[in-house]
Amino acid sequence: MRWRVRRTLTSILVFVAITTFVLHFNVSEKSEKFDSGDFQQLHRRAAGVAVVSVRDGSSRVNVHDVGDQRNGSFGSLLHQSKKEQSRGGGIREMAWANDVPSLSDDDSQLPPPLPQQQLNTSETEFQLKLIEKELNQFALQLQQTQENLLREQSQRYGGRQQQLKPILQKSSPPNLTIVVKEAPKYIPVAADTAAKLQQPVPPQSIPETNFRKTELNDVFIAVKTTGKYHKSRLNILLDTWVTQAKEQTYFFTDIFDEEYRIRTNYHLINTNCSGQHSRQALCCKTAVIYDTFLKSGKRWFCGVDDDNYLNVKQLLILLQDYKHEQDVYLGRASLSHPIEAMDRDNAMQRVTFWFATGGAGYCISRSLALKMSPYASGGTFKSMCNRIRLPDDVSIGFIIETLLKQPLTRINKFNSHLQSLRTIKPDQLSKQITLSYGIDEKRVNVVQIPNGAYSETQDPTRFKSLHCLLNPTLGKCPHR
């Protein structure tokens, strides 16, 4: 029995060596002292491999960082600890940490302490079987982690994944610590863990990777609105396209509104910005939107206004044609020529660039959004707006096209109220990504839907009729 445990431990050493070597240039060592019962503190440390030595109620943890701590994919630790009873009456106390998706710094999101129960350790053979199961499971987890790290590194090296494999095979094992001390009569083990140990280890599939196709849950949809338009504009969105993307859609406003917080499933975010339609207010909201997207860990950011209808199906089809690991800026240019601006941080130099109009909606890949961070994160986006004295959507174009040298990919399936929406043929409506409306005293600018499910009096924006046209199986749409 023991030789099987030793063999499994040897396999673990190899996997740990591989994981450590892959990011060898990014490795640093940290130490932190904490109470032995407070292992949940590890959830907020960097991703990596940790070995815990326990002595007299206190522990010293050596955490080897791997990867960029600011990247959500390697941001926290899952701590596990098991004890093996030796023939001499002592136990080996080992601990390891495995990479899992990051958690918020908010303590309220950390898992609560698990209930403890007393596990009798009198039967050495039974304990060894349990340890062997757990070690085998951990070895599989390490293998999966190594594969994910290999993919991360292959992106940095231009996809040369095959060239990295020979390097991984030459890695040397890291230093591990095993502390031996006298065994207590009973070993405290979390209740749910004890129950799981007595069950066969279930097969585990390799986690989803960046190579899979983009899904709706990979998209962060931001709707910019204001308090005075909650009733007149948000109601129609919540009754139509938002029903198809409830969990992915967030509303950014400027007042606290409990009614719509509930209606949006608490996805209504008060930015505390001004409610005026000014450059400062718009840039203030967009700064909050940008930071919220970065924290979400999503692949794609897509922003729309509260007078847009978003064709969720067509949006997903569009994004699946691009890679979120590349720098992608998608949208519609509202002008027929590049806009001109004065760069006040560069001796008032005149600059020209394209930008995607926010009135039609636009999308930015995560790769590009991360490169925007020096110019947009932590509220710095507002200073960029002041730098060229133009609104938020124009300032985004300035950052991407002028500072980051990434051109706008023009997608004319994004539509705003600045266009003549009546010119869009009815048989082309289902292929559009966004649509809009404009209704004032002078004119009505809406899409044309012959024989729509609702009359123009019942549906002045035509969004309800459009929603029924795009989703003919909806039971609530009246038949005309």
Side-chain angles (χ1 to χ4, degrees), residues 1 33 44 81 110 131 210 219 222 251 254 278 297 311 330 344 368 378 412 416:
M1 181 64 66
K33 193 145 186 173
R44 291 181 300 192
S81 177
L110 293 175
I131 292 297
N210 288 338
V219 186
F251 299 83
D254 41 53
S278 63
N311 188 338
L330 305 172
R344 287 164 174 77
L368 182 56
N412 288 333
S416 79

Side-chain angles (χ1 to χ4, degrees), residues 338-377:
I339 193 171
E340 292 187 357
M342 304 297 293
D343 186 353
R344 287 164 174 77
D345 285 5
N346 194 14
M348 299 296 289
Q349 180 179 353
R350 186 181 299 275
V351 292
T352 60
F353 54 91
W354 292 96
F355 72 96
T357 176
Y362 58 94
C363 295
I364 298 173
S365 66
R366 183 164 191 83
S367 173
L368 182 56
L370 290 172
K371 292 179 181 177
M372 293 172 59
S373 180
Y375 312 105
S377 65

Side-chain angles (χ1 to χ4, degrees), residues 258-281:
E258 182 64 19
E259 177 186 352
Y260 282 89
R261 282 184 73 235
I262 296 173
R263 288 203 60 190
T264 60
N265 196 27
Y266 298 94
H267 282 200
L268 183 73
I269 298 174
N270 181 9
T271 62
N272 292 312
C273 300
S274 169
Q276 297 180 351
H277 193 72
S278 63
R279 168 173 56 85
Q280 293 85 350

Side-chain angles (χ1 to χ4, degrees), residues 110-122:
L110 293 175
L114 296 172
Q116 302 289 317
Q117 73 173 21
Q118 301 301 324
L119 182 65
N120 197 324
T121 62
S122 60

